[in-house]
């Protein structure tokens, strides 16, 4: 009889030091067998990492417990915690993290620009993807354009939107995405780049789609409300606009602009 043995997993804990309701510093620790990897720095940055190898998995686990107790005693909060198998990635977990971050960022945007008529919200990423942040636009910012071409860009080109708040909330999904990009985690096993990119971008779109279905964006002062996800310096994501927007006038205008 062959005995089935589960593959060793990485235990991951992400801590944030929070001020004014937003993360201002991160500390993360990853434990795998007898290795403890830590990293610290400002949100949405690579940070500075360190690797420590212990003489046994038991002693490495004790170090994880020590760090958990220490950080909590210092007032840090656990922003995310979980386990994963190297070489595997939970894109549903990523979607949930993007959804939570988007909700918080949208609330921050509404509060920071309460004097403006917010009419659009979206996520910007890159083709890896690694970076991820939210931007918004207002009727006032669009109307301030000097000419029709400028106003069209300000309306439909997500990278020309001028309002940004709460980007630090995206540190949780950002740290998840970094597993694919950084080379200093000795036990990490990366996915195929194309597979990773397709699934990650799908998670971003689905996160906004679910928030829309839950009525999150009906809180905005301008309706109908435009939602977009954009990959920098790339063609529009196929089917993205149709999934995120149901208003036919918005869709026809966006299609005309995007070509």
């Amino acid at each position: 009889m062959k005995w089935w043995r589960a593959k060793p997993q990485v235990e991951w804990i992400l801590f944030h030091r929070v001020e004014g309701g937003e993360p201002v510093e991160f500390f993360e620790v990853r434990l795998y067998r007898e290795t403890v990897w830590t990293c610290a720095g400002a949100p949405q940055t690579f940070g500075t990492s360190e690797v420590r190898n212990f003489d046994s998995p038991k002693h490495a686990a004790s170090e994880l417990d020590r760090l958990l107790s220490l950080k909590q005693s210092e007032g840090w909060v656990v922003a995310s915690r979980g386990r994963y198998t190297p070489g595997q990635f939970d894109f549903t977990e990523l979607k949930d993290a993007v959804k939570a971050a988007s909700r918080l960022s949208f609330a921050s945007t509404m509060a920071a620009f309460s004097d403006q008529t917010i009419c659009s919200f979206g996520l910007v990423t890159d083709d890896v993807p690694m970076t991820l942040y939210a931007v918004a636009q207002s009727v006032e910012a669009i109307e301030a354009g000097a000419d029709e071409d400028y106003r069209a860009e300000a309306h439909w080109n997500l990278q020309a939107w001028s309002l940004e708040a709460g980007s630090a909330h995206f540190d949780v999904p950002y740290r998840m995405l970094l597993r694919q990009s950084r080379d200093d985690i000795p036990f990490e096993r990366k996915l195929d780049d194309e597979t990773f990119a397709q699934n990650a971008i799908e998670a971003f779109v689905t996160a906004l789609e679910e928030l829309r279905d839950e009525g999150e964006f009906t809180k905005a002062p301008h309706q109908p409300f435009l939602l977009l996800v954009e990959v920098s310096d790339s063609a529009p994501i196929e089917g993205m606009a149709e999934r995120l927007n149901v208003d036919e006038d918005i869709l026809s205008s966006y299609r005309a602009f995007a070509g």
Side-chain angles (χ1 to χ4, degrees), residues 144-246:
D147 55 49
E148 186 175 343
D149 288 342
Y150 181 95
R151 288 190 291 273
E153 287 287 329
H155 195 160
W156 303 110
N157 181 1
L158 188 150
Q159 294 185 69
W161 294 358
S162 57
L163 311 182
E164 184 176 347
S167 289
H169 291 303
F170 284 90
D171 192 59
V172 174
Y174 173 72
R175 312 232 79 80
M176 293 178 176
L177 293 168
L178 278 185
R179 283 179 52 196
Q180 183 73 7
S181 296
R182 64 189 313 156
D183 298 317
D184 58 344
I185 307 176
F187 43 76
E188 201 61 77
R189 303 291 182 269
K190 298 181 181 181
L191 276 68
D192 170 75
D193 286 340
E194 183 177 353
T195 299
F196 182 82
Q198 289 177 348
N199 283 279
I201 292 169
E202 170 63 20
F204 305 159
V205 176
T206 302
L208 288 194
E209 191 175 26
E210 290 185 3
L211 285 176
R212 182 209 62 200
D213 290 345
E214 292 170 11
E216 184 68 26
F217 301 108
T218 60
K219 301 173 184 177
H222 185 277
Q223 299 295 326
F225 194 76
L226 174 64
L227 290 172
L228 296 174
V229 175
E230 188 165 301
V231 180
S232 301
D233 302 319
S234 300
I237 302 166
E238 185 177 356
M240 172 272 303
E242 290 76 12
R243 288 175 58 185
L244 296 180
N245 302 277
V246 296

Side-chain angles (χ1 to χ4, degrees), residues 8-12 31 64 81-85 90 93 179:
Q9 290 191 308
V10 177
E11 184 168 359
W12 175 58
L31 165 69
L64 178 72
R81 183 173 187 172
R83 294 175 181 268
Y84 63 89
T85 301
D90 189 335
E93 184 179 11
R179 283 179 52 196

Side-chain angles (χ1 to χ4, degrees), residues 16 21-23 44 97 100-102 104-105 108 165-173:
H16 281 153
E22 293 191 11
Q44 296 276 57
S102 298
L104 291 168
S105 180
S108 296
S167 289
H169 291 303
F170 284 90
D171 192 59
V172 174

Side-chain angles (χ1 to χ4, degrees), residues 156 250-259:
W156 303 110
I250 279 184
L251 286 173
S252 60
S253 297
Y254 175 75
R255 292 186 190 111
F257 173 81

Side-chain angles (χ1 to χ4, degrees), residues 8-227:
Q9 290 191 308
V10 177
E11 184 168 359
W12 175 58
I13 308 176
L14 173 63
F15 302 88
H16 281 153
R17 188 166 64 82
V18 178
E19 293 181 2
E22 293 191 11
V24 294
E25 191 175 0
F26 82 88
F27 179 86
E28 64 176 317
V29 56
R30 299 177 192 261
L31 165 69
Y32 183 71
R33 292 179 171 171
E34 69 279 354
T35 301
V36 174
W37 179 89
T38 58
C39 192
Q44 296 276 57
T45 69
F46 259 60
T48 302
S49 67
E50 179 183 6
V51 176
R52 297 177 65 191
N53 292 306
F54 292 79
D55 58 8
S56 70
K58 181 179 178 180
H59 287 162
S62 294
E63 174 64 6
L64 178 72
D65 291 339
R66 186 190 71 83
L67 289 171
L68 175 60
S69 178
L70 174 65
K71 289 300 177 182
Q72 290 180 322
S73 71
E74 293 175 343
W76 293 67
V77 299
V78 175
S80 188
R81 183 173 187 172
R83 294 175 181 268
Y84 63 89
T85 301
Q88 298 180 11
F89 196 96
D90 189 335
F91 290 100
T92 299
E93 184 179 11
L94 174 65
K95 180 264 296 179
D96 290 341
V98 174
K99 184 177 175 180
S102 298
R103 191 190 303 274
L104 291 168
S105 180
F106 179 63
S108 296
T109 300
M110 294 284 286
F113 303 100
S114 59
D115 60 333
Q116 299 192 45
T117 310
I118 308 298
C119 60
S120 310
F121 183 83
L123 303 178
V124 183
T125 187
D126 56 79
D127 60 0
V128 174
M130 180 180 70
T131 58
L132 182 66
Y133 62 95
V135 290
Q137 187 61 300
S138 69
V139 172
E140 291 81 1
I142 295 170
E143 292 178 346
D147 55 49
E148 186 175 343
D149 288 342
Y150 181 95
R151 288 190 291 273
E153 287 287 329
H155 195 160
W156 303 110
N157 181 1
L158 188 150
Q159 294 185 69
W161 294 358
S162 57
L163 311 182
E164 184 176 347
S167 289
H169 291 303
F170 284 90
D171 192 59
V172 174
Y174 173 72
R175 312 232 79 80
M176 293 178 176
L177 293 168
L178 278 185
R179 283 179 52 196
Q180 183 73 7
S181 296
R182 64 189 313 156
D183 298 317
D184 58 344
I185 307 176
F187 43 76
E188 201 61 77
R189 303 291 182 269
K190 298 181 181 181
L191 276 68
D192 170 75
D193 286 340
E194 183 177 353
T195 299
F196 182 82
Q198 289 177 348
N199 283 279
I201 292 169
E202 170 63 20
F204 305 159
V205 176
T206 302
L208 288 194
E209 191 175 26
E210 290 185 3
L211 285 176
R212 182 209 62 200
D213 290 345
E214 292 170 11
E216 184 68 26
F217 301 108
T218 60
K219 301 173 184 177
H222 185 277
Q223 299 295 326
F225 194 76
L226 174 64
L227 290 172

